[in-house]
Structure formats: C-alpha cells, structure tokens
C-alpha cells in the first residue's frame, strides 16, 4: 500500500518482492537482487542520476530546493534515507518521510525536498523531463 504525505503531493511505494514481471518489482535470490523500478507505469524517463550519501559520516544532505515544473522521482537502491518535504509556499508544515532500500518516492513540483541518509546510501533519481537548472529554486526553510 503506497504511503501519501502533504495531501498526496508526496507518495512512497515499496516495490513488491517476487511480483509479476509486468510492473515494478524486486526479486531477491542466490544471484542477488534485481529491481524493476519502472515498467510502463511511469512517464518516459529523460533524466537519470545516481547519487550516494553518508550523512552521519559527512554531515552532508542533498536537495534543499524545489522545482517549479519538474516532478522528481527517486528509488533507494541501498541504505536508508529520510526525506524532509514541505510545500514551497509553506502552506503546510514540513514533515520527514522515511525510506528504505526498495522504495520509490514521487515528489510533485512545488514541494521542497531535502535528503539525509541514516548511513551509506545509494539513490537513483529520475525525471520525465531533462534537468533544467532554471527550474530548481533553493529553499532555505530546512535546517542544514
């Protein structure tokens, strides 16, 4: 069952293990893990980015911005990540969205976001449009 935050402007889905190949799923066996992150259930992906983060070790976070037009999606490949989200107009208070490996998040445009890992993490970020730096606006409403 997907989890929803900020009146459905942020959604988190856990990919099902051993689900049919026709949709998003994960398979874990003696070969290792395979994750089918999208299979026709998302718009075509035009921007794909992998990033790592180890906030406890480095003190670093990622994000602190919102997009005017872009819907951002991310999939946690490994580790655990907390995503702080808040509408850029601050009409709702910010909230922490916990994520673990195997989960995919969708963040609607206009929602500021900041990623902080709980240890070493690897995340795949996806966008249905090309990355446009003019569509990214810094958001100072989160603690560093």
């Amino acid at each position: 069952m997907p989890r929803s935050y900020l009146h459905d402007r942020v959604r988190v889905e856990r990919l099902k293990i051993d689900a049919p190949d026709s949709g998003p799923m994960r398979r874990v066996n003696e070969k290792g893990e395979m994750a089918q992150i999208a299979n026709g259930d998302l718009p075509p992906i035009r921007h794909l980015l992998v990033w790592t983060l180890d906030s406890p070790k480095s003190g670093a976070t990622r994000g602190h911005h919102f997009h005017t037009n872009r819907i951002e999606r991310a999939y946690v490949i490994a580790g655990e990540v907390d995503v702080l989200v808040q509408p850029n107009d601050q009409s709702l208070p910010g909230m922490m969205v916990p994520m673990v490996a195997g989960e995919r998040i969708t963040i609607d445009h206009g929602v500021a976001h900041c990623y902080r890992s709980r240890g070493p993490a690897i995340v795949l970020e996806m966008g249905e449009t090309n990355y446009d730096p003019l569509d990214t606006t810094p958001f100072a409403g989160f603690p560093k």
Side-chain angles (χ1 to χ4, degrees):
M1 183 76 174
R3 301 186 319 266
S4 175
Y5 303 86
L6 300 179
H7 301 293
D8 205 36
R9 294 180 68 189
V10 176
R11 297 163 303 283
V12 176
E13 311 163 66
R14 180 147 188 84
L15 272 59
K16 293 178 184 168
I17 294 183
D18 295 328
D21 288 346
S22 60
M25 62 85 179
R26 296 169 64 212
R27 189 147 299 135
V28 180
N29 58 32
E30 67 281 352
K31 296 178 188 178
E33 179 175 338
M34 176 183 73
Q36 183 165 272
I37 301 162
N39 189 28
D41 63 315
L42 297 179
I45 296 169
R46 298 190 48 90
H47 178 251
L48 194 61
L49 175 74
V50 173
W51 48 262
T52 63
L53 187 61
D54 190 346
S55 299
K57 183 177 178 180
S58 68
T61 58
R62 291 191 179 272
H64 293 274
H65 62 252
F66 65 89
H67 303 285
T68 305
N69 298 302
R70 181 176 195 240
I71 295 173
E72 183 168 311
R73 291 182 174 84
Y75 174 78
V76 179
I77 296 171
E80 298 179 357
V81 176
D82 291 322
V83 187
L84 184 56
V85 294
Q86 181 174 355
N88 68 320
D89 61 7
Q90 299 187 11
S91 57
L92 295 169
M95 59 185 356
M96 193 66 70
V97 177
M99 294 183 66
V100 297
E103 291 185 326
R104 180 176 76 179
I105 189 169
T106 301
I107 302 170
D108 288 348
H109 58 81
V111 175
H113 46 280
C114 171
Y115 296 88
R116 177 181 315 246
S117 70
R118 293 185 226 151
I122 303 171
V123 176
L124 176 69
E125 184 179 303
M126 305 165 278
E128 59 198 63
T129 58
N130 294 352
Y131 176 74
D132 179 1
L134 298 177
D135 185 53
T136 300
T137 302
F139 184 77
F142 296 141
K144 293 285 181 186

